[in-house]
Amino acid sequence: MQLDLATTSLLASMALNETPALNTLSPEDARLVFSEINRSMPPGPAQVLSRDVEIPVAGASIRARILTPSEPAKSLMVYYHGGGWVIGNIDDYDAVGRHLAETCQSIVVMVDYRKAPEHPFPIPVDDCYAALAWVDDNRSSLEADTLPLVVAGDSAGGNLSAVMAIQSRDSNGPKIDLQALIYPVTDGRMAAKSWGDEDKQLFLTSDIMSYFWTHYADAEARLDQRASPLLAENHGDLPPAVILTAEFDILVDEGRAYAEALTAADVTVSYKDFTQQMHGFFAMPAALPAAAKAMQWLAQEMDRHLIATERRDVVVVGAGFSGMYQLYKLREQGLDVQVFEAGSDVGGTWYWNRYPGARVDIESMAYSFSFSEELQQEWQWSEKYSPQPELLKYAQHIADRFELKRHIAFDTRVASAHFDEDADEWLVTTECGKRVRAQHVVMATGVLSASKEPDIAGRDNFKGDTYRTGLWPKEGVDFKGKRVAVIGTGSSAVQAIPMIAQEASELVVYQRTATFTTPALNHPVKQDEAEAIKANYSDYRAKQRLNVLGVVNERAVDRALDATAEERERRFAAGWESGLLPGMLFQFADLQIEQEANDHISEYIRDRIRDTVKDPQTAQDLLPNDYPYGTKRPCIDTNYYETFNQDNVSLVNLRRTPIETITESGIKTTVGEHEFDAIVYATGFDAMTGPLLRVDIRGRDGIKLTDAWCDGPRSYLGIAIHGFPNLFTITGPSSPSVLSNMLVSIEQHVDWVSDCIQWLREGNKKTIEPAESAEQEWAAHTEQLANMTLYPKANSWYMGANVPGKPRMFLAYVGGVGTYRLICDQIAASGYSGFEAA
Ligand code: N01
């Protein structure tokens, strides 16, 4: 026999306290001892509202306690406590009732039915039935008019609940929607095999149970179906049942037999035997961790029976480019897919980031889908770097062209995804209460979709207009004639500042860290160039797929440190004039590895800033000098530095004059207050992990992703997480994602995930998840690679450094898109090595 540790220690402490066996005591003394045991347990959740009422029963009245949960109730539960019909009361069970109310989100009515031997069978049954009828008649005053009705109880209370379900059926009583029976007593013959098992004589022994039966009902009455529901002639037409038993309980066979009898009569039953547990464990929620798990299971099963749940093969969270393509792929494979999207339309990043000047920083011909030859041939990009409206139009075109929208629920944010180990499937719940079960969940939530709450004092004081670049209003913003502040100088700000400066009467930029940005040299797409690419798009795409960044430009193989000063100057100038991100970074092989090599390119850019910005102090303040170029996401811009030469634009260097607070009318720094009509926060995102962690994701054993990742994200390939079977993350942490052309990485991840799901189905396997060791090896590999570069030197969002309290680690795979693809392909080809599939 192996009990769980908490139970063993509880039994040991009871033995130490020399708790007497109840069957050796008078009923009165047994009640006192039982109350004493319960009094020693911690109370239940205080936030549950409690009030007692008197319920009339034949010739008397009984107490009942109404416990209302803090969250809106989903059901109305009449609860009959255990205690062998002889001991126990609603005070003893107060903590249990409170935990039930909170965990099951139920209004719980605890019934203090009268006890034997003073009130033998059938008085407790009649009391319980009167209470059930009273509850049903008083739904209005309980604020439970439309809630499903549940009868529930443990041990003798489980017996009474089962009896209530039968009696209500037979006498056309209250409509019971569910019976929840916790290690119920079901058979007064006292002959089930488990009664004789020495291992099961723990909290409840055969002697104690015989003592209870003897006080409750005589030999003949015990065979009545109102005492022994297992002996009922008809178990059909009863409400669905949730039945749980404990492995080391003399009643385990009775509970199981009842589950079998109901199933045989076509009643829907959820049954679970809690291993390593003894009788009574459920009623000790504060002492035994297993009780909390059992309550959660009960809540889950109640939801399963009481709340409409749809079933799909796969749920995809997010309808940006990754969610749309994932939907397309899986639907092609014949799967039933449900996509949930928080926005009102497709587009993801390009749906939310509508700030002025928003545009892509990888050439559009490269930042586009390759999966459909017709699509890539027919779609015409208007500019080298397409603006946000065009990217959104592209996303909408894809949704329409491939008829994706009918599978997407818009304006629907996913609140939680919990893995149900019994069914090997996920239960996904949305914020508006929709529930879907699916074998797989794909988190296509993007990497920069959790806009960071600006962590600036007094943020709520400001009476003017406030905007966040990552949550820009759909209708746009008119800054004409307005005094505007922009806080932040990352990629979003670098694009927005020149545009806002064209409209605003005054623009003040608040900069904490100066950024590196080089000219985008954007222009309309040259038709001959586009046609040349399209004529050979497959070669172009093949190059992208094996490239470091997912583009077609190649990195030079020679080192800046081996080159002459003139050669370096020539190459950096060529990069500057290329108008491409990789144009700068790829000029030499060592720019992101050797500090000294990086110093050269950083100084080149600083010189260009000095050349451009006329006011010497502003130029000085704009010089990035506390991190190597490329270790924070470099920007490309249109007229960023030139904008600071405009008369209506000024810069505040927060390193010299930090913000003290936002005020009602503006921003106060250490040198004074400046008034504004509008403040634009371009303060970034809780990148990579934020979009995943804001969904309540729970894997095996109910472990929360927030707990599993409390020291930083761990995954295998950035695709899958140990302990979270059948959950996939598109461009997740520790994949190339943000270090690459996202469209190339998205296609690669989606293809890989789709193949993996197909492989599972063909092999009749239900689950797949990475082994912990594979995850550890991947973490070591990604960390080792990152440490070979200059990336860890910057306080960047790549390192999680922009969010207070976020564990500091490099969040992407620096080995390159091509290498990463080969690794992923090789893992798949080897039968998914590093994964465990069952
Ligand atoms: O965000 P960011 P973003 N007080 O985190 C400052 C992609 N993107 O939205 O560096 C004062 O880069 C912060 O200062 P510091 C791209 O991958 C792509 O601009 O923390 N300032 C920084 O200056 C990009 O990297 C495109 O000292 C505060 C700024 O706010 C990523 O999105 C366009 C502050 C945040 O910059 C994120 O870019 C746009 C505070 N309390 C975005 N808190 C293209 O494709 C933060 N800051 C072109």
Side-chain angles (χ1 to χ4, degrees), residues 355 359 455 489-492 495 512-513 632-633 682-684 797:
Y355 58 85
R359 64 178 67 244
D455 47 349
T489 50
S491 303
S492 303
Q495 292 184 328
R512 190 164 65 184
T513 307
K632 282 187 166 201
R633 172 81 171 193
T683 44
W797 59 257

Side-chain angles (χ1 to χ4, degrees), residues 611-735:
D611 291 347
T612 312
V613 181
K614 291 184 185 141
D615 175 60
Q617 185 59 56
T618 307
Q620 183 62 29
D621 286 337
L622 285 168
L623 299 181
N625 50 25
D626 54 2
Y627 63 96
Y629 173 63
T631 55
K632 282 187 166 201
R633 172 81 171 193
C635 310
I636 54 172
D637 71 272
T638 302
N639 294 332
Y640 177 67
Y641 294 119
E642 290 82 350
T643 298
F644 289 92
N645 294 333
Q646 285 182 212
D647 291 341
N648 63 333
V649 178
S650 57
L651 180 73
V652 175
N653 182 344
L654 297 177
R655 298 257 189 240
R656 285 194 282 114
T657 58
I659 294 176
E660 283 186 344
T661 185
I662 308 286
T663 65
E664 274 194 13
S665 50
I667 298 177
K668 185 163 180 279
T669 66
T670 46
V671 289
E673 186 174 347
H674 201 117
E675 293 196 348
F676 294 106
D677 301 308
I679 298 178
V680 175
Y681 291 98
T683 44
F685 300 86
D686 181 358
M688 311 286 287
T689 52
L692 297 169
L693 294 179
R694 66 181 172 174
V695 177
D696 171 16
I697 298 176
R698 300 186 195 187
R700 286 195 194 282
D701 293 327
I703 185 153
K704 295 179 179 175
L705 189 60
T706 42
D707 290 339
W709 282 7
C710 62
D711 294 327
R714 283 278 179 269
S715 77
Y716 189 33
L717 304 172
I719 293 183
I721 306 158
H722 174 71
F724 296 80
N726 293 359
L727 178 86
F728 299 102
T729 52
I730 303 300
T731 63
S734 84
S735 74

Side-chain angles (χ1 to χ4, degrees), residues 323-397:
M324 285 199 294
Y325 181 44
Q326 186 67 80
L327 163 60
Y328 170 82
K329 276 292 285 193
L330 293 174
R331 200 185 56 183
E332 291 290 289
Q333 290 174 202
L335 300 188
D336 186 5
V337 184
Q338 172 69 61
V339 181
F340 289 118
E341 165 57 52
S344 306
D345 201 348
V346 295
T349 284
W350 303 108
Y351 172 87
W352 298 104
N353 288 270
R354 296 162 187 253
Y355 58 85
R359 64 178 67 244
V360 64
D361 60 1
I362 301 281
E363 289 171 289
S364 301
M365 294 297 288
Y367 184 90
S368 50
F369 277 129
S370 72
F371 70 86
S372 159
E373 180 60 12
E374 293 76 23
L375 171 69
Q376 66 178 3
Q377 288 299 334
E378 287 170 26
W379 183 263
Q380 309 276 351
W381 293 107
S382 66
E383 295 179 53
K384 172 183 171 189
Y385 297 118
S386 294
Q388 174 271 334
E390 188 169 35
L391 287 152
L392 187 56
K393 223 185 260 172
Y394 178 63
Q396 287 162 341
H397 171 79

